Amino acid sequence: MERIPILKMGPFLLVTIQVDLYDRLALNLESDLINMVSKTGARGVLIDISAVSIVDSFMGRILGNIATMSRIMDAETVVVGMQPAVAITLVELGLTLQGVHTALDVEKGMELLQEKMGISEHPEQDEEEDQDDSND
Amino acid sequence: MQIVREQDVVPFRNRVRELSTKIGMSLVNQTKLITAASELVRNMLKYANGGKVLLETISKNAQAGIRLTFTDEGPGIADVQQAMRDGFSTGKSLGLGLPGAKRLVNEFDIKSTVGQGTTVTIIHWKHGR
Ligand SMILES: Nc1ncnc2c1ncn2[C@@H]1O[C@H](COP(=O)(O)OP(=O)(O)OP(=O)(O)O)[C@@H](O)[C@H]1O
Ligand SMILES: [Mg+2]
């Protein structure tokens, strides 16, 4: 079965979606990512959708599911590179990607994740979302 | 164009993309139109076991546009007004396909008869208005 490769980069997982996904492939990606987060204990998931030209409610729901499931396993999800036309359309459609962070590109997304993990070089600036990681 | 299974969604969207590129529609307007169209074919697949879509290029006051007509012979919708409301879903979903599609395109028309099926027509103009 066709699958989208998932790269492990330190504590993060990176997925680059290169084409508009068929539903089957999107569903596989959802379950593969969730399995990988649980297996590797990854703390963040980066999904690069810069090559995706259409995000409808189905695709939006998949991104939301990935974020929700990952968060349960203590990993944050960042969607990077959303095309402006896609972003505008999502707003009008009325779809909010709940629990999904967004960033301009992979680099910015990585920074955001590092901040969330509290391993940023810069001491914490304005944290709009506190997560408790005091379990050591 | 026949829509009978989930695998038909992406090729269908590509057809709409080709047609709207041909008339010179801007990227944002293409994206709105295709996203609306995607929601409507998904409904056809989910609630009516598929159907067909007619793709046409039209023009009004010298402006080109695209008209898509989605026709299915599914169960129909008993209360169209209710189905058009944000958040209403019989499929345990978000219920934003129909109202969202309506917001995304310039013209939206829905006709449904219980036991006979549903027809949704959308029009989007080249310049998006
Ligand atoms: N082609 C159709 N045939 C029969 N019923 C339909 C059809 N399209 C929509 N409906 C009905 O209208 C309701 C609202 O549709 P809408 O697309 O707005 O939401 P949804 O499909 O339930 O959720 P979402 O699109 O957010 O996943 C559906 O739940 C369904 O009951
Ligand atoms: Mg729908």
Side-chain angles (χ1 to χ4, degrees), chain A residues 57-58 61, chain B residues 39-40 43-44 46-48 72 74-77 82-85 88-100 110 112 117-118 120:
Chain A
S57 65
F58 177 84
R61 194 148 41 229
Chain B
E39 293 300 328
L40 297 172
N43 281 352
M44 256 178 17
K46 188 166 169 185
Y47 302 108
D72 69 58
I77 304 170
Q82 185 183 46
M84 288 302 300
R85 229 178 277 144
F88 176 81
S89 173
T90 60
K92 293 201 180 74
S93 194
L94 299 172
L96 48 80
L98 288 177
I110 180 167
S112 191
T118 302
V120 181

PDB file of all heavy atoms in Angstrom, chain A residues 57-58 61, chain B residues 39-40 43-44 46-48 72 74-77 82-85 88-100 110 112 117-118 120, ligand 1:
ATOM      1  N   SER A  57     -13.060  19.863   4.186  1.00  0.00           N
ATOM      2  CA  SER A  57     -13.364  19.491   5.571  1.00  0.00           C
ATOM      3  C   SER A  57     -12.799  18.110   5.915  1.00  0.00           C
ATOM      4  O   SER A  57     -12.424  17.854   7.053  1.00  0.00           O
ATOM      5  CB  SER A  57     -14.867  19.548   5.837  1.00  0.00           C
ATOM      6  OG  SER A  57     -15.547  18.585   5.066  1.00  0.00           O
ATOM      7  N   PHE A  58     -12.691  17.246   4.917  1.00  0.00           N
ATOM      8  CA  PHE A  58     -12.129  15.913   5.179  1.00  0.00           C
ATOM      9  C   PHE A  58     -10.660  16.012   5.591  1.00  0.00           C
ATOM     10  O   PHE A  58     -10.236  15.487   6.611  1.00  0.00           O
ATOM     11  CB  PHE A  58     -12.279  15.033   3.925  1.00  0.00           C
ATOM     12  CG  PHE A  58     -11.676  13.663   4.077  1.00  0.00           C
ATOM     13  CD1 PHE A  58     -12.395  12.643   4.683  1.00  0.00           C
ATOM     14  CD2 PHE A  58     -10.380  13.415   3.637  1.00  0.00           C
ATOM     15  CE1 PHE A  58     -11.829  11.382   4.838  1.00  0.00           C
ATOM     16  CE2 PHE A  58      -9.817  12.167   3.794  1.00  0.00           C
ATOM     17  CZ  PHE A  58     -10.540  11.138   4.394  1.00  0.00           C
ATOM     18  N   ARG A  61     -10.207  17.682   8.882  1.00  0.00           N
ATOM     19  CA  ARG A  61     -10.531  16.800  10.000  1.00  0.00           C
ATOM     20  C   ARG A  61      -9.350  15.878  10.308  1.00  0.00           C
ATOM     21  O   ARG A  61      -9.036  15.601  11.455  1.00  0.00           O
ATOM     22  CB  ARG A  61     -11.783  15.986   9.671  1.00  0.00           C
ATOM     23  CG  ARG A  61     -12.398  15.295  10.849  1.00  0.00           C
ATOM     24  CD  ARG A  61     -13.905  15.195  10.713  1.00  0.00           C
ATOM     25  NE  ARG A  61     -14.283  14.865   9.348  1.00  0.00           N
ATOM     26  CZ  ARG A  61     -15.211  15.524   8.662  1.00  0.00           C
ATOM     27  NH1 ARG A  61     -15.827  16.533   9.203  1.00  0.00           N
ATOM     28  NH2 ARG A  61     -15.508  15.166   7.437  1.00  0.00           N
TER      29      ARG A  61
ATOM     30  N   GLU B  39     -16.557  19.565  -1.221  1.00  0.00           N
ATOM     31  CA  GLU B  39     -17.554  19.292  -0.176  1.00  0.00           C
ATOM     32  C   GLU B  39     -18.808  18.656  -0.778  1.00  0.00           C
ATOM     33  O   GLU B  39     -19.379  17.730  -0.198  1.00  0.00           O
ATOM     34  CB  GLU B  39     -17.953  20.599   0.534  1.00  0.00           C
ATOM     35  CG  GLU B  39     -16.847  21.253   1.348  1.00  0.00           C
ATOM     36  CD  GLU B  39     -16.322  20.362   2.470  1.00  0.00           C
ATOM     37  OE1 GLU B  39     -17.113  19.575   3.018  1.00  0.00           O
ATOM     38  OE2 GLU B  39     -15.118  20.452   2.782  1.00  0.00           O
ATOM     39  N   LEU B  40     -19.220  19.167  -1.940  1.00  0.00           N
ATOM     40  CA  LEU B  40     -20.464  18.674  -2.527  1.00  0.00           C
ATOM     41  C   LEU B  40     -20.320  17.252  -3.076  1.00  0.00           C
ATOM     42  O   LEU B  40     -21.223  16.441  -2.920  1.00  0.00           O
ATOM     43  CB  LEU B  40     -20.957  19.647  -3.605  1.00  0.00           C
ATOM     44  CG  LEU B  40     -21.298  21.041  -3.040  1.00  0.00           C
ATOM     45  CD1 LEU B  40     -21.591  22.037  -4.155  1.00  0.00           C
ATOM     46  CD2 LEU B  40     -22.482  20.964  -2.064  1.00  0.00           C
ATOM     47  N   ASN B  43     -20.452  14.927  -0.110  1.00  0.00           N
ATOM     48  CA  ASN B  43     -21.824  14.672   0.334  1.00  0.00           C
ATOM     49  C   ASN B  43     -22.510  13.645  -0.558  1.00  0.00           C
ATOM     50  O   ASN B  43     -23.178  12.742  -0.070  1.00  0.00           O
ATOM     51  CB  ASN B  43     -22.630  15.970   0.328  1.00  0.00           C
ATOM     52  CG  ASN B  43     -22.344  16.831   1.544  1.00  0.00           C
ATOM     53  OD1 ASN B  43     -21.655  16.409   2.468  1.00  0.00           O
ATOM     54  ND2 ASN B  43     -22.864  18.042   1.533  1.00  0.00           N
ATOM     55  N   MET B  44     -22.316  13.799  -1.872  1.00  0.00           N
ATOM     56  CA  MET B  44     -22.915  12.862  -2.816  1.00  0.00           C
ATOM     57  C   MET B  44     -22.466  11.436  -2.522  1.00  0.00           C
ATOM     58  O   MET B  44     -23.268  10.511  -2.529  1.00  0.00           O
ATOM     59  CB  MET B  44     -22.504  13.237  -4.251  1.00  0.00           C
ATOM     60  CG  MET B  44     -23.591  13.915  -5.012  1.00  0.00           C
ATOM     61  SD  MET B  44     -23.187  14.443  -6.699  1.00  0.00           S
ATOM     62  CE  MET B  44     -21.744  13.569  -7.155  1.00  0.00           C
ATOM     63  N   LYS B  46     -21.173  10.324   0.356  1.00  0.00           N
ATOM     64  CA  LYS B  46     -21.498   9.877   1.707  1.00  0.00           C
ATOM     65  C   LYS B  46     -22.985   9.579   1.888  1.00  0.00           C
ATOM     66  O   LYS B  46     -23.353   8.612   2.539  1.00  0.00           O
ATOM     67  CB  LYS B  46     -21.060  10.979   2.681  1.00  0.00           C
ATOM     68  CG  LYS B  46     -21.138  10.619   4.150  1.00  0.00           C
ATOM     69  CD  LYS B  46     -20.349  11.664   4.961  1.00  0.00           C
ATOM     70  CE  LYS B  46     -20.594  11.546   6.453  1.00  0.00           C
ATOM     71  NZ  LYS B  46     -19.907  12.637   7.183  1.00  0.00           N
ATOM     72  N   TYR B  47     -23.822  10.439   1.315  1.00  0.00           N
ATOM     73  CA  TYR B  47     -25.248  10.306   1.601  1.00  0.00           C
ATOM     74  C   TYR B  47     -26.058   9.720   0.449  1.00  0.00           C
ATOM     75  O   TYR B  47     -27.197   9.324   0.641  1.00  0.00           O
ATOM     76  CB  TYR B  47     -25.829  11.675   1.984  1.00  0.00           C
ATOM     77  CG  TYR B  47     -25.144  12.280   3.180  1.00  0.00           C
ATOM     78  CD1 TYR B  47     -24.290  13.377   3.040  1.00  0.00           C
ATOM     79  CD2 TYR B  47     -25.305  11.735   4.452  1.00  0.00           C
ATOM     80  CE1 TYR B  47     -23.636  13.919   4.137  1.00  0.00           C
ATOM     81  CE2 TYR B  47     -24.661  12.267   5.547  1.00  0.00           C
ATOM     82  CZ  TYR B  47     -23.828  13.361   5.388  1.00  0.00           C
ATOM     83  OH  TYR B  47     -23.178  13.883   6.469  1.00  0.00           O
ATOM     84  N   ALA B  48     -25.493   9.709  -0.756  1.00  0.00           N
ATOM     85  CA  ALA B  48     -26.301   9.273  -1.892  1.00  0.00           C
ATOM     86  C   ALA B  48     -25.603   8.211  -2.736  1.00  0.00           C
ATOM     87  O   ALA B  48     -26.040   7.924  -3.854  1.00  0.00           O
ATOM     88  CB  ALA B  48     -26.662  10.475  -2.758  1.00  0.00           C
ATOM     89  N   ASP B  72     -27.718  13.767  -7.753  1.00  0.00           N
ATOM     90  CA  ASP B  72     -27.704  12.389  -7.272  1.00  0.00           C
ATOM     91  C   ASP B  72     -29.123  11.862  -7.141  1.00  0.00           C
ATOM     92  O   ASP B  72     -30.086  12.616  -7.182  1.00  0.00           O
ATOM     93  CB  ASP B  72     -26.953  12.277  -5.926  1.00  0.00           C
ATOM     94  CG  ASP B  72     -27.678  12.933  -4.763  1.00  0.00           C
ATOM     95  OD1 ASP B  72     -28.841  12.550  -4.480  1.00  0.00           O
ATOM     96  OD2 ASP B  72     -27.081  13.835  -4.127  1.00  0.00           O
ATOM     97  N   GLY B  74     -30.065   9.954  -4.553  1.00  0.00           N
ATOM     98  CA  GLY B  74     -30.042   9.432  -3.191  1.00  0.00           C
ATOM     99  C   GLY B  74     -31.358   9.672  -2.468  1.00  0.00           C
ATOM    100  O   GLY B  74     -32.390   9.941  -3.106  1.00  0.00           O
ATOM    101  N   PRO B  75     -31.324   9.616  -1.154  1.00  0.00           N
ATOM    102  CA  PRO B  75     -32.552   9.712  -0.345  1.00  0.00           C
ATOM    103  C   PRO B  75     -33.181  11.108  -0.315  1.00  0.00           C
ATOM    104  O   PRO B  75     -34.316  11.253   0.112  1.00  0.00           O
ATOM    105  CB  PRO B  75     -32.074   9.319   1.053  1.00  0.00           C
ATOM    106  CG  PRO B  75     -30.623   9.660   1.066  1.00  0.00           C
ATOM    107  CD  PRO B  75     -30.130   9.407  -0.324  1.00  0.00           C
ATOM    108  N   GLY B  76     -32.435  12.111  -0.765  1.00  0.00           N
ATOM    109  CA  GLY B  76     -32.949  13.474  -0.692  1.00  0.00           C
ATOM    110  C   GLY B  76     -32.836  14.035   0.721  1.00  0.00           C
ATOM    111  O   GLY B  76     -32.441  13.329   1.649  1.00  0.00           O
ATOM    112  N   ILE B  77     -33.146  15.310   0.852  1.00  0.00           N
ATOM    113  CA  ILE B  77     -33.051  15.976   2.159  1.00  0.00           C
ATOM    114  C   ILE B  77     -34.438  16.467   2.551  1.00  0.00           C
ATOM    115  O   ILE B  77     -35.061  17.232   1.810  1.00  0.00           O
ATOM    116  CB  ILE B  77     -32.058  17.166   2.082  1.00  0.00           C
ATOM    117  CG1 ILE B  77     -30.695  16.682   1.598  1.00  0.00           C
ATOM    118  CG2 ILE B  77     -31.946  17.865   3.428  1.00  0.00           C
ATOM    119  CD1 ILE B  77     -29.716  17.805   1.266  1.00  0.00           C
ATOM    120  N   GLN B  82     -32.744  23.291   7.245  1.00  0.00           N
ATOM    121  CA  GLN B  82     -32.002  22.756   8.389  1.00  0.00           C
ATOM    122  C   GLN B  82     -30.623  22.247   7.945  1.00  0.00           C
ATOM    123  O   GLN B  82     -29.618  22.507   8.602  1.00  0.00           O
ATOM    124  CB  GLN B  82     -32.822  21.602   8.981  1.00  0.00           C
ATOM    125  CG  GLN B  82     -32.257  21.005  10.242  1.00  0.00           C
ATOM    126  CD  GLN B  82     -33.112  19.821  10.701  1.00  0.00           C
ATOM    127  OE1 GLN B  82     -33.480  18.958   9.906  1.00  0.00           O
ATOM    128  NE2 GLN B  82     -33.442  19.803  11.985  1.00  0.00           N
ATOM    129  N   ALA B  83     -30.582  21.581   6.804  1.00  0.00           N
ATOM    130  CA  ALA B  83     -29.317  21.033   6.297  1.00  0.00           C
ATOM    131  C   ALA B  83     -28.327  22.134   5.951  1.00  0.00           C
ATOM    132  O   ALA B  83     -27.114  21.947   6.000  1.00  0.00           O
ATOM    133  CB  ALA B  83     -29.573  20.151   5.071  1.00  0.00           C
ATOM    134  N   MET B  84     -28.864  23.317   5.611  1.00  0.00           N
ATOM    135  CA  MET B  84     -28.007  24.442   5.226  1.00  0.00           C
ATOM    136  C   MET B  84     -27.437  25.165   6.436  1.00  0.00           C
ATOM    137  O   MET B  84     -26.647  26.077   6.297  1.00  0.00           O
ATOM    138  CB  MET B  84     -28.800  25.449   4.377  1.00  0.00           C
ATOM    139  CG  MET B  84     -29.117  24.995   2.970  1.00  0.00           C
ATOM    140  SD  MET B  84     -27.645  24.593   2.013  1.00  0.00           S
ATOM    141  CE  MET B  84     -26.776  26.154   2.044  1.00  0.00           C
ATOM    142  N   ARG B  85     -27.872  24.784   7.621  1.00  0.00           N
ATOM    143  CA  ARG B  85     -27.408  25.469   8.826  1.00  0.00           C
ATOM    144  C   ARG B  85     -26.033  24.978   9.249  1.00  0.00           C
ATOM    145  O   ARG B  85     -25.751  23.774   9.202  1.00  0.00           O
ATOM    146  CB  ARG B  85     -28.411  25.233   9.961  1.00  0.00           C
ATOM    147  CG  ARG B  85     -28.806  26.522  10.664  1.00  0.00           C
ATOM    148  CD  ARG B  85     -29.831  26.264  11.746  1.00  0.00           C
ATOM    149  NE  ARG B  85     -31.200  26.188  11.251  1.00  0.00           N
ATOM    150  CZ  ARG B  85     -32.130  25.360  11.740  1.00  0.00           C
ATOM    151  NH1 ARG B  85     -31.839  24.521  12.713  1.00  0.00           N
ATOM    152  NH2 ARG B  85     -33.341  25.375  11.247  1.00  0.00           N
ATOM    153  N   PHE B  88     -25.287  21.526  11.345  1.00  0.00           N
ATOM    154  CA  PHE B  88     -26.271  20.452  11.256  1.00  0.00           C
ATOM    155  C   PHE B  88     -25.720  19.294  10.440  1.00  0.00           C
ATOM    156  O   PHE B  88     -25.293  19.457   9.299  1.00  0.00           O
ATOM    157  CB  PHE B  88     -27.590  20.920  10.629  1.00  0.00           C
ATOM    158  CG  PHE B  88     -28.568  19.788  10.458  1.00  0.00           C
ATOM    159  CD1 PHE B  88     -29.336  19.348  11.526  1.00  0.00           C
ATOM    160  CD2 PHE B  88     -28.653  19.095   9.250  1.00  0.00           C
ATOM    161  CE1 PHE B  88     -30.195  18.269  11.382  1.00  0.00           C
ATOM    162  CE2 PHE B  88     -29.515  18.012   9.100  1.00  0.00           C
ATOM    163  CZ  PHE B  88     -30.287  17.597  10.175  1.00  0.00           C
ATOM    164  N   SER B  89     -25.738  18.113  11.038  1.00  0.00           N
ATOM    165  CA  SER B  89     -25.243  16.934  10.335  1.00  0.00           C
ATOM    166  C   SER B  89     -25.991  15.696  10.780  1.00  0.00           C
ATOM    167  O   SER B  89     -26.252  15.515  11.969  1.00  0.00           O
ATOM    168  CB  SER B  89     -23.750  16.752  10.636  1.00  0.00           C
ATOM    169  OG  SER B  89     -23.297  15.538  10.095  1.00  0.00           O
ATOM    170  N   THR B  90     -26.356  14.863   9.823  1.00  0.00           N
ATOM    171  CA  THR B  90     -26.916  13.564  10.205  1.00  0.00           C
ATOM    172  C   THR B  90     -25.807  12.521  10.172  1.00  0.00           C
ATOM    173  O   THR B  90     -26.019  11.368  10.478  1.00  0.00           O
ATOM    174  CB  THR B  90     -28.042  13.125   9.243  1.00  0.00           C
ATOM    175  OG1 THR B  90     -27.484  13.035   7.926  1.00  0.00           O
ATOM    176  CG2 THR B  90     -29.196  14.095   9.250  1.00  0.00           C
ATOM    177  N   GLY B  91     -24.619  12.954   9.758  1.00  0.00           N
ATOM    178  CA  GLY B  91     -23.509  12.018   9.609  1.00  0.00           C
ATOM    179  C   GLY B  91     -22.484  12.147  10.724  1.00  0.00           C
ATOM    180  O   GLY B  91     -21.335  11.779  10.544  1.00  0.00           O
ATOM    181  N   LYS B  92     -22.903  12.678  11.869  1.00  0.00           N
ATOM    182  CA  LYS B  92     -21.998  12.877  13.005  1.00  0.00           C
ATOM    183  C   LYS B  92     -20.729  13.615  12.574  1.00  0.00           C
ATOM    184  O   LYS B  92     -19.619  13.289  12.962  1.00  0.00           O
ATOM    185  CB  LYS B  92     -21.591  11.543  13.645  1.00  0.00           C
ATOM    186  CG  LYS B  92     -22.740  10.819  14.324  1.00  0.00           C
ATOM    187  CD  LYS B  92     -22.199   9.810  15.347  1.00  0.00           C
ATOM    188  CE  LYS B  92     -23.305   9.046  16.051  1.00  0.00           C
ATOM    189  NZ  LYS B  92     -23.929   8.022  15.160  1.00  0.00           N
ATOM    190  N   SER B  93     -20.918  14.584  11.719  1.00  0.00           N
ATOM    191  CA  SER B  93     -19.775  15.330  11.222  1.00  0.00           C
ATOM    192  C   SER B  93     -19.905  16.790  11.653  1.00  0.00           C
ATOM    193  O   SER B  93     -20.719  17.118  12.504  1.00  0.00           O
ATOM    194  CB  SER B  93     -19.715  15.179   9.711  1.00  0.00           C
ATOM    195  OG  SER B  93     -18.477  15.615   9.253  1.00  0.00           O
ATOM    196  N   LEU B  94     -19.107  17.653  11.052  1.00  0.00           N
ATOM    197  CA  LEU B  94     -19.118  19.050  11.483  1.00  0.00           C
ATOM    198  C   LEU B  94     -20.306  19.837  10.936  1.00  0.00           C
ATOM    199  O   LEU B  94     -20.645  20.898  11.436  1.00  0.00           O
ATOM    200  CB  LEU B  94     -17.823  19.742  11.045  1.00  0.00           C
ATOM    201  CG  LEU B  94     -16.537  19.148  11.622  1.00  0.00           C
ATOM    202  CD1 LEU B  94     -15.325  19.785  10.970  1.00  0.00           C
ATOM    203  CD2 LEU B  94     -16.493  19.332  13.131  1.00  0.00           C
ATOM    204  N   GLY B  95     -20.905  19.309   9.888  1.00  0.00           N
ATOM    205  CA  GLY B  95     -22.056  19.996   9.318  1.00  0.00           C
ATOM    206  C   GLY B  95     -21.732  21.333   8.706  1.00  0.00           C
ATOM    207  O   GLY B  95     -22.521  22.269   8.766  1.00  0.00           O
ATOM    208  N   LEU B  96     -20.560  21.420   8.086  1.00  0.00           N
ATOM    209  CA  LEU B  96     -20.278  22.692   7.434  1.00  0.00           C
ATOM    210  C   LEU B  96     -20.077  22.578   5.939  1.00  0.00           C
ATOM    211  O   LEU B  96     -19.794  23.562   5.270  1.00  0.00           O
ATOM    212  CB  LEU B  96     -19.111  23.426   8.114  1.00  0.00           C
ATOM    213  CG  LEU B  96     -17.803  22.728   8.451  1.00  0.00           C
ATOM    214  CD1 LEU B  96     -16.938  22.632   7.214  1.00  0.00           C
ATOM    215  CD2 LEU B  96     -17.090  23.511   9.519  1.00  0.00           C
ATOM    216  N   GLY B  97     -20.295  21.389   5.393  1.00  0.00           N
ATOM    217  CA  GLY B  97     -20.153  21.208   3.947  1.00  0.00           C
ATOM    218  C   GLY B  97     -21.070  22.101   3.142  1.00  0.00           C
ATOM    219  O   GLY B  97     -20.613  22.909   2.315  1.00  0.00           O
ATOM    220  N   LEU B  98     -22.371  21.995   3.380  1.00  0.00           N
ATOM    221  CA  LEU B  98     -23.328  22.786   2.591  1.00  0.00           C
ATOM    222  C   LEU B  98     -23.223  24.287   2.879  1.00  0.00           C
ATOM    223  O   LEU B  98     -23.039  25.076   1.946  1.00  0.00           O
ATOM    224  CB  LEU B  98     -24.757  22.286   2.828  1.00  0.00           C
ATOM    225  CG  LEU B  98     -25.140  20.924   2.212  1.00  0.00           C
ATOM    226  CD1 LEU B  98     -26.567  20.549   2.599  1.00  0.00           C
ATOM    227  CD2 LEU B  98     -25.011  20.951   0.692  1.00  0.00           C
ATOM    228  N   PRO B  99     -23.337  24.712   4.142  1.00  0.00           N
ATOM    229  CA  PRO B  99     -23.240  26.164   4.384  1.00  0.00           C
ATOM    230  C   PRO B  99     -21.877  26.732   3.995  1.00  0.00           C
ATOM    231  O   PRO B  99     -21.793  27.852   3.484  1.00  0.00           O
ATOM    232  CB  PRO B  99     -23.487  26.301   5.895  1.00  0.00           C
ATOM    233  CG  PRO B  99     -23.290  24.952   6.475  1.00  0.00           C
ATOM    234  CD  PRO B  99     -23.603  23.973   5.383  1.00  0.00           C
ATOM    235  N   GLY B 100     -20.823  25.955   4.205  1.00  0.00           N
ATOM    236  CA  GLY B 100     -19.474  26.400   3.834  1.00  0.00           C
ATOM    237  C   GLY B 100     -19.348  26.558   2.329  1.00  0.00           C
ATOM    238  O   GLY B 100     -18.821  27.562   1.842  1.00  0.00           O
ATOM    239  N   ILE B 110     -29.945  24.786  -4.219  1.00  0.00           N
ATOM    240  CA  ILE B 110     -30.124  23.384  -3.862  1.00  0.00           C
ATOM    241  C   ILE B 110     -31.598  23.007  -3.993  1.00  0.00           C
ATOM    242  O   ILE B 110     -32.479  23.763  -3.579  1.00  0.00           O
ATOM    243  CB  ILE B 110     -29.581  23.088  -2.434  1.00  0.00           C
ATOM    244  CG1 ILE B 110     -29.783  21.609  -2.064  1.00  0.00           C
ATOM    245  CG2 ILE B 110     -30.196  24.009  -1.377  1.00  0.00           C
ATOM    246  CD1 ILE B 110     -29.005  21.174  -0.830  1.00  0.00           C
ATOM    247  N   SER B 112     -34.075  19.502  -3.496  1.00  0.00           N
ATOM    248  CA  SER B 112     -34.030  18.121  -3.052  1.00  0.00           C
ATOM    249  C   SER B 112     -35.439  17.590  -2.857  1.00  0.00           C
ATOM    250  O   SER B 112     -36.316  18.297  -2.371  1.00  0.00           O
ATOM    251  CB  SER B 112     -33.240  18.049  -1.739  1.00  0.00           C
ATOM    252  OG  SER B 112     -32.979  16.706  -1.422  1.00  0.00           O
ATOM    253  N   GLY B 117     -33.912  12.425  -4.787  1.00  0.00           N
ATOM    254  CA  GLY B 117     -32.525  12.857  -4.912  1.00  0.00           C
ATOM    255  C   GLY B 117     -32.327  14.346  -4.711  1.00  0.00           C
ATOM    256  O   GLY B 117     -33.257  15.072  -4.352  1.00  0.00           O
ATOM    257  N   THR B 118     -31.088  14.740  -4.941  1.00  0.00           N
ATOM    258  CA  THR B 118     -30.689  16.110  -4.645  1.00  0.00           C
ATOM    259  C   THR B 118     -29.909  16.682  -5.819  1.00  0.00           C
ATOM    260  O   THR B 118     -29.111  15.978  -6.438  1.00  0.00           O
ATOM    261  CB  THR B 118     -29.795  16.118  -3.380  1.00  0.00           C
ATOM    262  OG1 THR B 118     -30.522  15.531  -2.306  1.00  0.00           O
ATOM    263  CG2 THR B 118     -29.380  17.534  -2.990  1.00  0.00           C
ATOM    264  N   VAL B 120     -27.557  20.104  -6.600  1.00  0.00           N
ATOM    265  CA  VAL B 120     -26.960  21.349  -6.125  1.00  0.00           C
ATOM    266  C   VAL B 120     -26.244  21.994  -7.306  1.00  0.00           C
ATOM    267  O   VAL B 120     -25.504  21.332  -8.034  1.00  0.00           O
ATOM    268  CB  VAL B 120     -25.940  21.112  -4.981  1.00  0.00           C
ATOM    269  CG1 VAL B 120     -25.358  22.441  -4.498  1.00  0.00           C
ATOM    270  CG2 VAL B 120     -26.584  20.369  -3.811  1.00  0.00           C
TER     271      VAL B 120
HETATM  272  N1  LIG C   1     -26.482  14.746  -1.473  1.00  0.00           N
HETATM  273  C1  LIG C   1     -27.132  14.574  -0.302  1.00  0.00           C
HETATM  274  N2  LIG C   1     -28.102  13.638  -0.195  1.00  0.00           N
HETATM  275  C2  LIG C   1     -28.771  13.455   0.970  1.00  0.00           C
HETATM  276  N3  LIG C   1     -28.531  14.150   2.106  1.00  0.00           N
HETATM  277  C3  LIG C   1     -27.572  15.100   2.054  1.00  0.00           C
HETATM  278  C4  LIG C   1     -26.818  15.351   0.879  1.00  0.00           C
HETATM  279  N4  LIG C   1     -25.955  16.353   1.119  1.00  0.00           N
HETATM  280  C5  LIG C   1     -26.144  16.694   2.411  1.00  0.00           C
HETATM  281  N5  LIG C   1     -27.114  15.955   2.979  1.00  0.00           N
HETATM  282  C6  LIG C   1     -27.632  16.091   4.354  1.00  0.00           C
HETATM  283  O1  LIG C   1     -27.365  17.412   4.806  1.00  0.00           O
HETATM  284  C7  LIG C   1     -26.610  17.375   6.013  1.00  0.00           C
HETATM  285  C8  LIG C   1     -25.651  18.550   6.052  1.00  0.00           C
HETATM  286  O2  LIG C   1     -24.643  18.403   5.066  1.00  0.00           O
HETATM  287  P1  LIG C   1     -23.233  19.113   5.283  1.00  0.00           P
HETATM  288  O3  LIG C   1     -22.347  18.781   4.131  1.00  0.00           O
HETATM  289  O4  LIG C   1     -23.494  20.540   5.562  1.00  0.00           O
HETATM  290  O5  LIG C   1     -22.701  18.423   6.610  1.00  0.00           O
HETATM  291  P2  LIG C   1     -22.070  16.965   6.811  1.00  0.00           P
HETATM  292  O6  LIG C   1     -21.780  16.333   5.503  1.00  0.00           O
HETATM  293  O7  LIG C   1     -22.971  16.227   7.712  1.00  0.00           O
HETATM  294  O8  LIG C   1     -20.735  17.309   7.561  1.00  0.00           O
HETATM  295  P3  LIG C   1     -19.359  17.827   6.902  1.00  0.00           P
HETATM  296  O9  LIG C   1     -19.650  18.215   5.503  1.00  0.00           O
HETATM  297  O10 LIG C   1     -18.955  18.994   7.743  1.00  0.00           O
HETATM  298  O11 LIG C   1     -18.443  16.670   7.009  1.00  0.00           O
HETATM  299  C9  LIG C   1     -25.939  16.028   6.011  1.00  0.00           C
HETATM  300  O12 LIG C   1     -25.647  15.582   7.311  1.00  0.00           O
HETATM  301  C10 LIG C   1     -26.982  15.153   5.338  1.00  0.00           C
HETATM  302  O13 LIG C   1     -27.979  14.758   6.249  1.00  0.00           O
END
